[in-house]
Amino acid sequence: MADQDPGGISPLQQMVASGAGAVVTSLFMTPLDVVKVRLQSQRPSMASGKCLLYCNGVLEPLYLCPNGARCATWFQDPTRFTGTMDAFVKIVRHEGTRTLWSGLPATLVMTVPATAIYFTAYDQLKAFLCGRALISDLYAPMVAGALARLGTVTVVSPLELMRTKLQARHVSYRELGACVRAAVAQGGWRSLWLGWGPTALRDVPFSALYWFNYELVKSWLNGLRPKDQTSVGMSFVAGGISGTVAAVLTLPFDVVKTQRQVALGAMEAVRVNPLHVGSTWLLLRRIRAESGTKGLFAGFLPRIIKAAPSCAIMISTYEFGKSFFQRLNQDRLLGS
């Protein structure tokens, strides 16, 4: 059929399968994403005499205290996070368990359509590249993954910005709306794509590495079995391994993306123009100067803990959905 891919399902069915995977993955992985954002967005402690405006895990050096150590406790970094488990415990203790799922509605609104577009575009691009012999089968997944992700990042970047703000500062949706309006008023509509550069630098290489490794590991696990007969278990293992490798290699760009987007909060907090943040490479150098090399890998553990199962759950759910629709289409053909 002309409207179906070589695997025997239509693009619409691919979108349904990937959308279902996105919902399942988001429900399980949002708490780890919240912890990762909190760890990445906090800055090194300031010198004595300065107090920090505490905003649910985001430390903004906005208030100079004239009384030094006699400042109110609220201003003195009451819940600075020292690690992944420490962040989990303190977020639950000070803000409640529900906070671990903050930003979930925005995540679902962003993730479901974005994932549907991304996975469908990847499969269609890979089939196109291989079918036209434009590139070898070995590198087709890498190219298709990079192109599919670049388009998706551009479309959903404003929603990604809002989701990061919700998770980092635990603001209400009304406050988030005010933040967005203030950003547009000061920086124009381009401000909604704040963090697009580092997001693309993180996600496009991640996607290229992920799909390249996924197809290799899947082929190794499958042996001589056809690609369209991959079991859910094999997809789960291959997705987890490839997601972990890609997440480690692209983590510094994830840190930069988070710090760029959280920095937008300075405007609505004190109504001042935020400092020019500079290029991605300048931010990488600044983070390394302030926090050392380990600062470039802030949130390492929650990102890895999240990347492996989320990639595994997502791709196995997607492959299961594709297998379901393949069987459904075959039954329809036999019954007609």
Side-chain angles (χ1 to χ4, degrees), residues 8 25 44 48 78 80 88 93 107 110 141 153 156 162 173 201 205 211 222 228 238 249 279 287 290 300 313 319:
T25 305
S48 60
R80 181 168 179 82
F88 266 116
R93 180 185 300 163
T107 298
M110 176 189 72
V153 165
V156 304
M162 296 177 195
Y173 287 96
L201 283 172
W211 288 110
N222 282 340
D228 60 349
L249 295 178
S279 68
I287 293 170
E290 290 180 351
F300 172 84
I313 293 170
E319 294 286 0

Side-chain angles (χ1 to χ4, degrees), residues 122 126 129-130 136-146 207-208 211-212 215:
Y122 167 76
K126 187 181 73 167
L129 292 172
C130 294
S136 69
D137 289 355
L138 177 63
Y139 297 107
M142 179 181 290
V143 176
S207 183
W211 288 110
F212 178 76
E215 298 292 353

